[in-house]
């Protein structure tokens, strides 16, 4: 096998792995794609995670999300803060839930 054939085989295998992981429900990834569309950024669920490591369940590792967001034109950082302490200028934010789902927090009302 030539180097070109080998590279093609590896690329084909990587695409197959991406296709397999695209069927996995990744709540944080879905929220990130939803927000990207709201900001008129061209991101789709399959291509968004290409090149990022996945865990045993096929989800992008949590540590990779700030880099993933940056790759697609957004700013992101993980923070552990009470929702009531978040300033409005950081909204919307993605809230990962303990069961693998996620939610988008768009506003906070104190009252």
């Amino acid at each position: 096998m030539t180097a070109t054939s080998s590279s093609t085989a590896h690329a084909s295998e990587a695409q197959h792995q991406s296709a397999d992981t695209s069927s996995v429900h990744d709540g944080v990834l879905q929220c990130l794609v939803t927000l990207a569309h709201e900001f008129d950024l061209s991101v789709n669920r399959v291509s968004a995670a290409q090149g990022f490591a996945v865990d045993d369940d096929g989800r992008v590792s949590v540590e990779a999300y700030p880099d993933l967001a940056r790759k697609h034109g957004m700013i992101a950082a993980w923070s552990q803060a009470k929702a009531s302490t978040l300033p409005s200028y950081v909204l919307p934010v993605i809230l990962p839930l303990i069961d693998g789902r996620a939610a988008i927090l768009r506003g906070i009302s104190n009252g």
Side-chain angles (χ1 to χ4, degrees):
M1 195 182 291
T2 66
T4 304
S5 297
S6 177
S7 297
T8 303
H10 289 301
S12 175
E13 185 177 308
Q15 288 173 346
H16 180 68
Q17 288 173 345
S18 293
D20 288 346
T21 58
S22 68
S23 64
V24 172
H25 181 69
D26 187 334
V28 178
L29 180 61
Q30 186 58 52
C31 287
L32 187 96
V33 170
T34 298
L35 288 175
H37 288 190
E38 291 178 13
F39 296 131
D40 293 325
L41 300 171
S42 180
V43 179
N44 69 56
R45 191 177 186 289
V46 175
S47 66
Q50 286 181 342
F52 289 89
V54 295
D55 64 16
D56 293 338
D57 295 324
R59 294 182 180 106
V60 174
S61 67
V62 176
E63 296 82 15
Y65 275 98
D67 292 331
L68 195 151
R70 212 168 297 117
K71 175 184 173 185
H72 296 291
M74 295 177 277
I75 298 171
W78 287 116
S79 174
Q80 292 185 1
K82 291 184 178 185
S84 61
T85 66
L86 294 174
S88 62
Y89 63 83
V90 302
L91 299 175
V93 297
I94 298 173
L95 305 172
L97 306 176
I98 59 173
D99 64 358
R101 295 179 303 151
I104 299 172
L105 179 65
R106 298 175 188 282
I108 302 166
S109 62
N110 295 323

